[in-house]
Amino acid sequence: METAASIFLGLTEAKSVRAIAAHAGLDASTTNRQLNGTNALTVETVVSICRAYDIDFARAFVSVGFITADEAQHLGRAQSLASFTDLELTKEFLRRVEAGETRLNPADPLDSESESNVIVGGFGHNADQHEYTEVPDNVEEAWAGKFAADDKGDDPIDHSQS
């Protein structure tokens, strides 16, 4: 059976448990006993190591048996899409297209049902403070050259009066 020590030595690429403890600001003896199974491994120790080495918490918790892989996937899905930037969402979509993991073809137009459900507004850091605007059926004609997102990713700005 793999020990927490071997798991974290692999995840951190540290040379020893003592080095992991020092980098994480933990007591070396306590960390050694926990990672080698003499004492029970605590959540606090795992969190400290993850923070110090920028290790994904879910990956570490699965690796040491605190949660299952299915539970970790559920945690990931629970994160709100609103917390991701437009760039992060775009990169993920592109990754999926390139990997063949999506049924959508970005070159295909949206069907009429999808178009009627699109709204504009409520983006960015203060999404709950914005009004939403229904996108008109003739959006290209009605909004041509008028709107663009600012560099902060907030709501569209009318540039037709500039």
Side-chain angles (χ1 to χ4, degrees), residues 9-69:
L9 286 169
L11 290 174
T12 64
E13 297 182 3
K15 298 211 183 281
S16 67
V17 171
R18 182 173 294 280
I20 292 172
H23 188 75
L26 299 168
D27 178 74
S29 296
T30 302
T31 303
N32 189 49
R33 286 192 298 272
Q34 287 186 22
L35 295 186
N36 284 306
T38 305
N39 291 359
L41 180 61
T42 65
V43 170
E44 292 81 5
T45 297
V46 174
V47 167
S48 293
I49 294 169
C50 288
R51 286 180 177 155
Y53 285 93
D54 196 26
I55 298 169
D56 179 72
F57 286 77
R59 180 179 179 194
F61 278 41
V62 169
S63 296
V64 298
F66 282 176
I67 61 175
T68 67

Side-chain angles (χ1 to χ4, degrees), residues 42-107:
T42 65
V43 170
E44 292 81 5
T45 297
V46 174
V47 167
S48 293
I49 294 169
C50 288
R51 286 180 177 155
Y53 285 93
D54 196 26
I55 298 169
D56 179 72
F57 286 77
R59 180 179 179 194
F61 278 41
V62 169
S63 296
V64 298
F66 282 176
I67 61 175
T68 67
D70 286 342
E71 292 167 330
Q73 281 188 327
H74 179 72
L75 290 172
R77 282 190 214 115
Q79 186 176 14
S80 170
L81 285 174
S83 67
F84 294 99
T85 67
D86 292 344
L87 180 60
E88 289 169 326
L89 291 170
T90 303
K91 283 181 177 179
E92 174 59 17
F93 181 71
L94 181 59
R95 184 199 65 76
R96 289 181 186 193
V97 169
E98 289 175 341
E101 296 175 1
T102 181
R103 296 179 306 232
L104 298 175
N105 180 345

Side-chain angles (χ1 to χ4, degrees), residues 96-146:
R96 289 181 186 193
V97 169
E98 289 175 341
E101 296 175 1
T102 181
R103 296 179 306 232
L104 298 175
N105 180 345
D108 290 344
L110 294 173
D111 60 36
S112 59
E113 275 187 31
S114 296
E115 290 175 19
S116 65
N117 294 326
V118 175
I119 56 172
V120 174
F123 301 105
H125 301 291
N126 300 317
D128 57 329
Q129 299 174 7
H130 296 287
E131 293 182 21
Y132 294 91
T133 304
E134 189 81 24
V135 175
D137 290 337
N138 63 341
V139 65
E140 290 177 354
E141 181 183 318
W143 291 1
K146 292 184 179 179

